[in-house]
Amino acid sequence: MRVLVVGASGAIGTRLVPQLRRCGHEVIGSCHSPGKAGQVRALGAEPITLDALDATAVREAVAAARPDAIIYQATALADAGFSRNLDRSFAQTNRLRTEGTDILLAAAREEGVRRFVAQSFASYRYAREGGWVKTEDDPLDPPPARVGARD
């Protein structure tokens, strides 16, 4: 299967690409910076440089890659400082996860790509029960007791 991994040079992409290759998949891996193309190639993917928020570039990349599946792992967290203002720290990543996902889904639809997986994040922890894979139907951890709360 031809798999396009958008965000192949990131924390998850660098682990995902070799696993896909070991399973026999042909991988096209995107990176935002041209300087990371060598890293993506070393992982076993054909590198492409891509701005995931550039709709024209994304359409062209998906058309050229002709993937059977797209895995979207793009974030902007590599140099993010995690301060008290998480909204600021996650602003670009949130754009990638909303606008970028919409752009990539539209390109996938145009090219007839039938498999699409996108990275997500939830700041809530699931209850420590059942298996490791959770769905929206699984219960969340109960809220912690307030400090100084009295019965």
Side-chain angles (χ1 to χ4, degrees), residues 70-73 97 101 105 116-121:
I70 297 173
I71 302 177
Y72 188 47
Q73 294 295 322
R97 289 183 176 156
T101 301
L105 276 170
F116 190 98
V117 177
Q119 180 185 108
S120 183
F121 172 80

Side-chain angles (χ1 to χ4, degrees), residues 123-139:
S123 60
Y124 296 99
R125 293 177 53 104
Y126 283 101
R128 293 174 191 99
E129 59 187 51
W132 283 95
V133 176
K134 303 295 183 185
T135 71
E136 287 139 359
D137 297 324
D138 289 303

Side-chain angles (χ1 to χ4, degrees), residues 10-138:
I12 294 177
T14 56
R15 289 155 180 81
L16 177 62
V17 169
Q19 291 179 41
L20 290 167
R21 294 291 296 140
R22 280 194 299 274
C23 290
H25 300 292
E26 182 181 352
V27 181
I28 303 94
S30 85
C31 49
H32 189 257
S33 166
K36 298 223 175 170
Q39 175 191 16
V40 172
R41 185 174 290 107
L43 294 169
E46 174 189 332
I48 60 169
T49 302
L50 182 64
D51 176 351
L53 295 174
D54 180 338
T56 301
V58 169
R59 278 195 308 276
E60 290 171 358
V62 172
R66 300 178 334 277
D68 300 301
I70 297 173
I71 302 177
Y72 188 47
Q73 294 295 322
T75 68
L77 298 174
D79 298 318
F82 294 96
S83 65
R84 291 179 187 250
N85 189 337
L86 287 179
D87 287 342
R88 189 176 322 129
S89 297
F90 276 82
Q92 188 65 3
T93 293
N94 289 340
R95 279 193 69 210
L96 286 165
R97 289 183 176 156
T98 55
E99 294 171 45
T101 301
D102 289 345
I103 290 168
L104 195 54
L105 276 170
R109 272 189 219 102
E110 287 176 20
E111 294 301 320
V113 179
R114 298 178 48 103
R115 295 170 184 91
F116 190 98
V117 177
Q119 180 185 108
S120 183
F121 172 80
S123 60
Y124 296 99
R125 293 177 53 104
Y126 283 101
R128 293 174 191 99
E129 59 187 51
W132 283 95
V133 176
K134 303 295 183 185
T135 71
E136 287 139 359
D137 297 324
D138 289 303

